[in-house]
Amino acid sequence: MNDRSISFEKIFNARDMGGLRMAQGRVISSGLLIHSAHLSDSTEADRNVLREKYRLSKIIDLRTDIERNEMPDKVMASVEHLPIPIFDNAAAGISALSWKIIC
């Protein structure tokens, strides 16, 4: 498996999910789906890379309401933000990586 790490100034644990095989046998295209930790500390340079290199259009935020309120993402013009928590607020903090899917 190739190293899928993506380096940013302040966005940690960023990975390009390209090359992963889905259940139906299809493969995710490189640069189409990115996983990262929270974006609350992202720099303007980080956000520019997401907008320009990866053509960021949508963020799927899997954190709880509590986690999103404690560390809100920086607003990015013309980027849709979809909060879709995978845990309820009682489990806040359980997702240490504060998973995000950036597409």
Side-chain angles (χ1 to χ4, degrees):
M1 183 180 289
N2 295 339
D3 180 22
R4 293 184 171 84
S5 298
I6 303 171
S7 294
F8 289 99
E9 290 178 355
K10 294 286 186 170
I11 298 173
F12 300 104
N13 197 30
R15 305 274 187 265
D16 183 341
M17 305 311 285
L20 293 179
R21 188 168 304 281
M22 297 182 286
Q24 304 81 7
R26 295 173 59 194
V27 176
I28 299 172
S29 297
S30 182
L32 182 65
L33 183 65
I34 298 170
H35 158 272
S36 80
H38 58 80
L39 302 176
S40 59
D41 293 331
S42 64
T43 65
E44 186 62 35
D46 291 338
R47 293 187 298 278
N48 285 338
V49 169
L50 289 171
R51 281 189 295 263
E52 295 168 15
K53 181 175 181 180
Y54 294 99
R55 300 172 313 280
L56 178 67
S57 63
K58 189 177 297 179
I59 297 172
I60 302 171
D61 192 338
L62 304 177
R63 300 176 298 165
T64 66
D65 296 334
I66 291 171
E67 291 168 319
R68 283 193 314 276
N69 288 332
E70 286 177 354
M71 299 180 82
D73 290 340
K74 303 262 173 44
V75 175
M76 296 172 61
S78 25
V79 175
E80 184 178 9
H81 189 272
L82 299 172
I84 305 174
I86 56 174
F87 298 110
D88 62 21
N89 284 328
I94 199 167
S95 56
L97 296 177
S98 300
W99 286 67
K100 295 248 186 346
I101 301 172
I102 304 171
C103 41

